[in-house]
Amino acid sequence: VTGTTTILLVSGSLRHGSVNSAVLQTALAVAPDGIDPVIYDGLGDLPHFNPDDDVDPLPPSVAALRAAIASADAVLFCVPEYAGALPGSFKNLLDWTVGGGEIYEKPVAWINAAAAGRGVLAHESLRTVLGYTGSRIVDDACVSIPVDRATIGGDGLITDTDVRAKIAKVLTTLSGSATR
Ligand SMILES: Cc1cc2nc3c(=O)[nH]c(=O)nc-3n(C[C@H](O)[C@H](O)[C@H](O)COP(=O)(O)O)c2cc1C
């Protein structure tokens, strides 16, 4: 089978200089042949989820999110932990995915970029929420890759070769379980 696997990359941080966003920018740089990673950058544009607004015509930013998920073969999340949970803005994004159904049965995974042993509660919560959306969690691609901020270069990319190799492996593993 030939072809390209499209992986949508979703950061859970809005912060300029975000470590989680740097992981996903690095994923763009290290993606193996046959994998087409696409950055989702609309997190900050989404309105607060309200079921009353989950009707046609959808808010344009929500329609764009759902279209991006629909056109991807898989989704990779990289999300910080805030106060023992998922960042509110990111949970808001996940809430918008429930009604659309585009993420249903979609292969999904995450990279926990926090220091070893940290961010665990956020990722347990992410597993729970993704379970409710009916997405297919690819456990082999859900990994902890601690990232030292000092290894993020001026171009926003992670320079550590071991980290870069681990990110590339996640893309390969997730892609391998995403067949159209
Ligand atoms: C409001 C707030 C709450 C945080 N709570 C936690 C936490 O509960 N557990 C944790 O491991 N880190 C926590 N952190 C640290 C962030 O997860 C860490 O700074 C991370 O690098 C932020 O991701 P980013 O660099 O992609 O923005 C918190 C940071 C902020 C700003």
Side-chain angles (χ1 to χ4, degrees):
V1 180
T2 57
T4 302
T5 308
T6 300
I7 300 181
L8 187 67
L9 308 177
V10 180
S11 171
S13 176
L14 290 166
R15 192 174 69 82
H16 181 75
S18 158
V19 173
N20 289 279
S21 299
V23 168
L24 298 177
Q25 290 293 340
T26 304
L28 286 185
V30 302
D33 286 348
I35 298 177
D36 179 24
V38 176
I39 297 267
Y40 169 77
D41 67 356
L43 178 66
D45 300 327
L46 293 169
H48 295 161
F49 177 70
N50 180 340
D52 294 339
D53 298 331
D54 196 355
V55 290
D56 283 324
L58 287 168
S61 58
V62 175
L65 168 67
R66 291 183 178 179
I69 295 170
S71 63
D73 299 302
V75 182
L76 178 65
F77 297 102
C78 199
V79 182
E81 180 169 290
Y82 281 179
L86 293 169
S89 58
F90 176 74
K91 175 58 163 58
N92 184 60
L93 177 151
L94 293 176
D95 287 344
W96 277 116
T97 69
V98 174
E102 291 81 6
I103 205 164
Y104 185 74
E105 292 186 344
K106 187 80 63 178
V108 296
W110 57 77
I111 293 171
N112 177 0
R118 300 199 65 182
V120 173
L121 291 170
H123 291 85
E124 285 176 359
S125 178
L126 181 57
R127 178 181 292 280
T128 300
V129 177
L130 289 172
Y132 277 94
T133 69
S135 54
R136 183 158 64 82
I137 297 170
V138 179
D139 280 305
D140 288 347
C142 297
V143 297
S144 167
I145 306 178
V147 174
D148 179 349
R149 278 181 199 211
T151 65
I152 301 174
D155 57 2
L157 301 180
I158 296 163
T159 55
D160 185 297
T161 52
D162 182 49
V163 168
R164 291 169 70 98
K166 285 176 174 167
I167 294 169
K169 184 159 179 272
V170 167
L171 294 173
T172 302
T173 304
L174 181 55
S175 171
S177 77
T179 47
R180 272 209 195 263

